[in-house]
Amino acid sequence: MKTLIVVAVIFCSSLINYSYAKGTIDMHKKLDEVVKFKDNELPITKNQTEFVKVSFKINKNGIVEVLEINYSDEAIKSQLIEKLSEMKVEEEHDSEKVYNYNFTFMKK
C-alpha cells in the first residue's frame, strides 16, 4: 500500500511571532494536532506536490476565521479548511493577530 506522507511543512511568513509569553498560543502545536491525514485520504498521486497558503485569525470565541487562501487543488484546500474548522483555541489569545502558513502536501 502506498503510504501518504503528508509533509505539512509549515513555513511561517515573517509575520509570525515566536514569543512564548503567558497568554500566547503555540500555533505550530495546535496545527500539528489538527492537520493530520490518513493514508490515501488526500487525492494526491505519487511524486505530486500540492500546496495551500492560508492567512487566518482566531476570533474571540476561539474559532479559525480564514482571511485569505491560495491553493493548487480545490479538494485539498477543502479538506484542510475542514480540519482547521475543527480547531478550537481555549487559551487566552489576541483575536487581531493574523497567522500565515504554507502547507505542502506530497505522496512519495
Side-chain angles (χ1 to χ4, degrees):
M1 179 183 288
K2 296 178 184 176
T3 303
L4 175 66
I5 299 177
V6 177
V7 182
V9 182
I10 305 169
F11 294 109
C12 301
S13 74
S14 60
L15 298 175
I16 300 298
N17 180 349
Y18 286 105
S19 71
Y20 291 97
K22 183 177 180 183
T24 61
I25 304 166
D26 184 349
M27 189 56 67
H28 288 295
K29 183 177 178 183
K30 285 279 190 194
L31 290 172
D32 283 343
E33 292 170 0
V34 173
V35 181
K36 294 181 181 179
F37 297 97
K38 297 177 183 176
D39 288 348
N40 298 320
E41 190 173 2
L42 294 174
I44 300 174
T45 58
K46 188 174 181 175
N47 296 322
Q48 179 183 3
T49 301
E50 301 291 349
F51 75 90
V52 178
K53 295 178 182 179
V54 63
S55 296
F56 61 90
K57 289 183 179 182
I58 306 296
N59 70 19
K60 292 180 182 182
N61 297 320
I63 305 297
V64 172
E65 290 182 359
V66 175
L67 303 173
E68 197 171 326
I69 192 160
N70 187 8
Y71 53 90
S72 60
D73 184 273
E74 178 72 32
I76 293 170
K77 177 212 70 157
S78 297
Q79 286 179 276
L80 177 63
I81 295 301
E82 185 177 319
K83 295 285 186 178
L84 291 176
S85 69
E86 295 171 5
M87 189 167 72
K88 176 78 172 163
V89 176
E90 302 289 338
E91 300 87 356
E92 187 176 324
H93 61 280
D94 178 0
S95 61
E96 294 303 313
K97 182 173 181 174
V98 175
Y99 298 91
N100 298 287
Y101 284 90
N102 298 330
F103 296 88
T104 302
F105 304 96
M106 63 188 301
K107 181 186 278 188
K108 291 185 177 184

